[in-house]
Amino acid sequence: MAAFSSILRPCNGFQVRTTCLTGLRIVGPYYSASLVTPRHNRHQHHHRIASSTSSIKLQSRYHVRSFSSTHLHSSSDDEPTNEKARILFLGTPDVAATSLKTLYEASQRPDSPYELVGVVTQPPKRRKRRGKEIASPVGLVAEELGLEVLCPEKARDKDFLDLLEEEVKPDLCVTAAYGQFLPKRFLATPKFGTLNIHPSLLPRWRGSSPVQRSLEAGDNPVGVSVLFTVSKMDAGPIVSQQSHAIDANEQATTLLPTLFDIGTQALLEAIPKVIAGEITMENAQEQDESLVVETNMIDASEGQLFPERMSALECHNRIRGFSMWPGTFLYFQIGDDETPVKVKVVESKVLEETADELTRAIVRGEKKKDGLRLVCGDGSILEMNKVQPATRNVMDAKSFVNGLQGRTVVWLSGLDSDE
């Protein structure tokens, strides 16, 4: 990589972006910096980068600093053997931000054999069309901790990979819900490999949304795996795996953070052994390919419940699994109004009793805390404790019934709702 010089200028306390000739962008709240190549090579470099759409954003909380700071890997051949291992963290959502905090705190201990040298996360996004870009939860936490942040549009971007190889030089990478495929060149960079926290008992539920699919399937126990990352998704050898028994009504909203907390602790136990060479890609536990179950990408249309062909348990498990997104819903007919009302089911449980006869009428139980009861096609009964009619707030069963003002309610099948 050509040598770079840095141009700093005050930005009146606001984030200002400048795009440099190399296609790299550095963003800082008080200074902006653009990297430029030496004058004699500028034309050639501009021609090469002009055709590239790749972009890397480096974010620092108080000022712009490149990896030529204390986090830059020394190029000396006679480095001390007791130097701490350099870890690069990759993640994006809230659960990964919590893992980042825990890993950072552990790295600050005097006896820690590693240091956290940087963070990679998804680029900032606009929540509204004209709103300002907001960094990912991991990006925000990294800024609070004073860590350098890389936000490549794609992990395969050449400039990003060049920077990793020539300046960051991580010894070990850690991923937690990063959200991008890692190319072979990335995986070949850290000498100790890349460890990933995956919230399932691999090889069951490889792929995206493992927690949602495991709850939908009624799995108990569930679990989390720490594994080496390879090119094939979630197929690497397993370093650590822990099971976790759950309540019959546990939802993805609460289970996902729990599993990442468990996985992070397992990760912290594994890292020193990986750095010491006790655990390697070669001696970690290979996955049994005959037991592989892959997850399918969740589609919003899967949120509709069909009681005529689903049991109460199947409906309940889908409600639990899809609690974060896309949610689950039914269509109700209220009174004589023939316009179907879309109602989201927020919380539910399965009753032990079964119905003597099939009915589409929805009624509330007799006790004070009873929910709305729906009889499925097989006679099993789903009790809906919290619902959300379209354009309304989430409410309990009593509030929903009070709003009916004596009108009756029946559930509609998918066929009826289409009509």
Side-chain angles (χ1 to χ4, degrees), residues 33-105:
S34 59
L35 300 179
V36 297
T37 56
R39 190 175 297 274
H40 68 273
N41 196 35
R42 186 173 299 176
H43 177 75
Q44 176 184 353
H45 212 72
H46 181 273
H47 179 74
R48 178 176 68 85
I49 298 299
S51 61
S52 173
T53 59
S54 64
S55 175
I56 301 176
K57 305 168 188 174
L58 296 176
Q59 297 185 344
S60 177
R61 187 180 183 190
Y62 298 109
H63 59 278
V64 172
R65 56 179 177 175
S66 70
F67 280 89
S68 59
S69 66
T70 57
H71 289 310
L72 176 61
H73 194 283
S74 172
S75 59
S76 173
D77 293 331
D78 54 351
E79 297 172 351
T81 56
N82 62 349
E83 186 174 289
K84 291 189 175 185
R86 301 166 54 77
I87 293 182
L88 181 68
F89 181 89
L90 297 87
T92 299
D94 289 313
V95 288
T98 302
S99 298
L100 172 60
K101 285 183 180 179
T102 304
L103 180 61
Y104 176 80
E105 291 169 358

Side-chain angles (χ1 to χ4, degrees), residues 334 362-365 370-373 384 387 389 392 395-409:
I334 299 177
I362 294 177
V363 297
R364 182 169 171 251
D370 284 351
L372 304 172
R373 296 184 173 182
M384 299 173 287
V387 295
R392 304 288 298 277
M395 61 185 70
D396 60 21
K398 181 180 179 180
S399 299
F400 179 81
V401 172
N402 289 342
L404 294 176
Q405 299 179 338
R407 291 175 295 175
T408 59
V409 179

Side-chain angles (χ1 to χ4, degrees), residues 73 79-81 83-86 113 164 169-173 185-194 228 274-277 279-282:
H73 194 283
E79 297 172 351
T81 56
E83 186 174 289
K84 291 189 175 185
R86 301 166 54 77
L164 289 187
K169 295 184 178 179
D171 297 312
L172 176 69
C173 292
R185 184 180 168 192
F186 177 98
L187 298 177
T189 299
K191 64 182 179 181
F192 296 123
T194 297
F228 282 106
V274 172
I275 293 172
I279 299 177
T280 66
M281 188 87 73
E282 288 69 32

Side-chain angles (χ1 to χ4, degrees), residues 161 181-190 193-194 229-232:
L161 297 173
F181 175 79
L182 300 177
K184 290 182 179 180
R185 184 180 168 192
F186 177 98
L187 298 177
T189 299
T194 297
T229 300
V230 296
S231 294
K232 188 176 181 180

